[in-house]
Amino acid sequence: MDHSHHAAGHSQTVTERFPVTDLYCVCCADSLESTLKANPHIQRVKVDFLNNRVDVTFHLSVISREDIERLIAESGRCTPANAPSADMTHANHQAQMAPVTMGTKHDRMQYEFPSTAAHAEHEHGHHEAKSHAGMDHDMSDPKMAKAVERDMRNRFLVALALTIPTVLYSPLATSFFNLDLPSGIPRNWLLLILSTSVVWWSGWVFISGAYRSLRYRALNMSVLIATGVLAAYLASIVITVANAGDAFYEAAAMLVTFVLFGHWMEMRARRGTTDALRALFDLVPPKATVLRDGQEVEVLTSDIQINDLVVLRPGDKVPVDGVIERGETTIDESLVTGESIPVDKRPGDSVVGGSINQTGAVTFRATKIGAETVLGQIVKLVEQAQNSKAPGQRLADRAAQYLVVLAVGAGSLTFFIWFVVVGQDFLLSMTFAISAVVIACPDALGLATPTAVAVGTGLGARHNILIKDAATLEGVSRVNAVVLDKTGTLTEGRPQLTRVIPLDGGEEEMLRLVASAEQGSEHPLAKAIVEGARSRSLALSQPEGFRAITGQGLEATVDGRRLLIGNQKLMADRGVSLDGLDVQASELGEAGNTPMYVAIDERAAGLVAVADTVKPSARRAVELLGKLGIEVVMITGDNRRTAEAVAQQLGIQRVFAEVLPADKARHVKELQQEGKFVAMVGDGVNDAPALAQADIGIAIGAGTDVAIETARVVLMKSDPLDVLRAIRLSKATVTKMKQNLFWASCYNILAIPIAAGVLYPSLGLELRPEWAALLMALSSIIVATNAVLLKRAERDLVEV
C-alpha cells in the first residue's frame, strides 16, 4: 500500500491509496468518487479505474483509514480489495478468472484473482511504496498481462473449434454445403451440445461480467454482449424444446467467438503500447551491492534505504539516485536522460538510477529511492498519461453509456415492432432483435481514444518525450506560438571559446598564455577559455602572481611574461593602447560574443571571444516550426544586443530581451492576450512561473525538479527539435482520435437500423445475428488497428 504524508496546517492530512475491486466502467468510478467527496473530512479523491485503485486525501485526526474502507464498501459499487466485506465467495475460486470489463475501461480485458491479489497485497505490504523503483503497476509484471492474453486466446480457440461445426451444421450451411447430419441426432439438439461449451465456458467472461455489473446497477459492454449471446442461446433452447423450427445457436457461438477474437487482437495490438514502460522497468537492476557495517552485502534494489552507501563496479547499472562519495568514473545516462555523451563523475556529483557505470569503481550515497527517483518519476508520468482521459474520450465515455441503453432499447423495440405491430413470426422478430443488440455494442467507441492515447504516449516515451496526460497530448496539437528560453534551450547554456584574434604572432601561443593565466579563475568565461585551449591540446603553464580585478578582469605572470586580460576599462586604467582592437571587439559583441582584451608586457596583444554557442539543431527546429505555421518567440535575461544576435542567427523574428525571471510569465500572458495558444519551453527554476502560465509548459533537458513539476511535457534530451517532435506526435494522435471517433459513431448510427431490419421489407435484407457479431468485432479491430498505425508517425519523429 502506497501512502505519503503531507502536513497541512495544524490538522494532519494524508494521501493514501486504496486498492478497489469491481470498478467496471466510468459510471462506477464517478459514483465512487461522488460518494467519497460527499464526506466533509475528505479533501481530494482520484479514482484510477484502469488500475482498480483510488487515492484519497483526508484529515487523519477526524477520519480513519477503516472509515474510508467502509465508505467504499457501502458505496454499493465497489469493495476494497483487502476489506473483510470483499466478495469472499468469489475469492474461493482462485483458479477461475473473474469477469471481463470492456468499453469505457479502456476496453482492456481486466481479470482479477482476488484471493491471490489480496495475498500478494499482504505479502507486499510495506515494500510496495518503493518496490522496483516504486513502479507499483501491473505492467511491471508482464507475466500477468501475458497470462490474461493467453487465457483470452485459449477461450477463443476452444470457441472457434466448436463454432466451426456449429456453423457447418446450421440450417443456412447445410443447404449450402449439403452436409449430412450424424444419424439419429436432430439438428437443434446437436447444435445445442456444440454451442453450450462456447456460451458457458468461452463466453463466461461476458456473462459473469454482466451479472456483477447489473448487481451494481451499471450498464456496460459485458451487459450488451451477454444480452445478445443469451437471447440467441435461450431463444434457441425454447425453439428446440418446443420443436418450433430451426434455432440459431450458431449466432450465439459466432458472437462469442468473434468478440473473443476481437479482444484478443486488441490485446496483442495494445501490448506494444506498454513497451516503453517495460523498457523503463528493465533499466533498474534487481539487486545491488551496499555497504552494511563496513561489509559489502548484495541486497534487493527494493531494500535499499536512503543514506545507504551503494558500491558500483564498471558495467553495473545504477539502482537508485544518489551522490558520489568516493571514486571517479564515467556514466552513460543516455537511457534515462537521452543525452548520448557519457558524463564524467567525481565526488559530489549526482548519479541517476537506470544509468550505466562505465569505467571506474565508485561508492555513492542513496538520496532518492523508489517512486522518488528520476526513473520512478518518468514511469509515473507515462503511466499517468496512459491512464488519463482526453476531453474527446470523456465525450465517448458518456456516449458509450447511452449506447448501451440504446442497444438494449433498440433490441426490445425491434422485437415489439416486428412481432406485435407487423405480426411477423417469433423467429424472424427475435433474429432482428438479437442482431440489433449485437451490432449496437459501442466497443469501437470505447476504444477510439484510449488506444490512440496509449500508442501516442508510448511512442513519445520511446523518443524521450514524456507527455503528462491525455488532455495535454490533445492540447499540444493546438499550439500556434512557442516561447523558447534562450539559455540552455536554444543555446548550450555554457560559454565556449569562439574566436582568438592575435595582433601579431601565433594564435596558439597567445591562447596558451591566456589560458594558463585564466587557470586561477573560477569565472565561467575563464573556464571556457581553459577548456578551449585544452581541446586544442595546448600545454598550459602554472601562472604566478595571479590577481582578479573585480568587474574588470585579471593579471598574472606566465613563463615570465606579464598578462592583463579583461575589458576596455582595465586596458584604459593600465594605459594600454588598443591599436584598433576596439572596432573588432564591437563587431564581436554585435554577433553575440563576449570579447576580452589581452595585453602582454603592457602592450595590446589581441582579443579572445567567448559565447554561449547555439545548439546545432536549434536553427532547424525554428525553421520547421515556422513551416507548421507556429510563431517562434525567444525570451532571455541577456542584453538586447546579444539576444538580437542569437535571434538573427536562428531566424527568430520576435525577441523579449533583458527580461527578469519574475517577468517571464507576464510576457507569456501578453501572447495569450493576443489570442495565441502558447507553449513555453524552459529548463530552469526561473522558468517555472512561465511554464505554469503557458497553455502548455514544456521542460527541456530534464531541467530541474521544479520545471518538471510545473511542465505538462518533459523532453528528456536538450534538443530543441524535440519540441517539434512533440507537436507532430500530438497532431498525429489527435488525427487518429478523430478518425476513430468518426468511424465508431457512423458505424453505430448506420448499423443499428440495418440490423433491426429497416431494409428487410424493400430489399429482403436480413442481417443475421452472426453477421452482426462479425461486423461488430470487425469495427473494434479496425479502430484498434488504426490506432496502432500511429506508429507510422515514428518516422516523422526520427527523421526531422
Side-chain angles (χ1 to χ4, degrees), residues 763-779:
L763 301 176
L765 179 66
E766 178 194 344
L767 188 65
R768 300 269 305 168
E770 51 268 39
W771 298 115
L774 177 62
L775 287 173
M776 192 273 290
L778 251 171
S779 174

Side-chain angles (χ1 to χ4, degrees), residues 286-305 308-313 316 319 326 363-364:
K287 292 183 177 176
T289 306
V290 297
L291 288 174
R292 296 260 161 96
D293 303 322
Q295 299 294 312
E296 289 190 9
V297 187
E298 192 173 60
V299 299
L300 293 171
T301 297
S302 58
D303 289 338
I304 294 175
Q305 305 292 327
D308 269 354
L309 287 173
V310 183
V311 179
L312 280 186
R313 295 191 174 80
D316 283 356
R326 295 193 292 275
T363 303
F364 74 89

Side-chain angles (χ1 to χ4, degrees), residues 135 137 139-140 270-284 335-336 375 378-383 385-386 453-467 729 791 794:
M135 301 172 230
H137 188 282
M139 274 184 290
S140 61
R270 296 188 57 198
R271 193 169 58 192
T273 66
T274 56
D275 284 351
L277 273 184
R278 294 235 178 94
L280 290 173
F281 287 125
D282 293 342
L283 293 182
V284 179
L335 291 168
V336 183
L375 201 58
I378 294 171
V379 168
K380 193 166 139 201
L381 288 184
V382 180
E383 267 190 343
Q386 295 197 336
V453 167
V455 176
T457 48
L459 259 185
R462 196 177 309 152
H463 292 278
N464 304 101
I465 299 166
L466 305 177
I467 294 164
L729 175 68
K791 289 190 176 181
E794 194 158 11

Side-chain angles (χ1 to χ4, degrees), residues 3-42:
H3 52 275
S4 53
H5 298 261
H6 310 286
H10 296 295
S11 167
Q12 191 196 15
T13 62
V14 296
T15 299
E16 293 212 16
R17 174 166 292 165
F18 296 81
V20 186
T21 56
D22 302 348
L23 275 181
Y24 281 104
C25 59
V26 75
C27 34
C28 257
D30 290 346
S31 166
L32 175 61
E33 198 168 313
S34 47
T35 304
L36 292 173
K37 276 184 177 168
N39 188 298
H41 308 305
I42 291 176

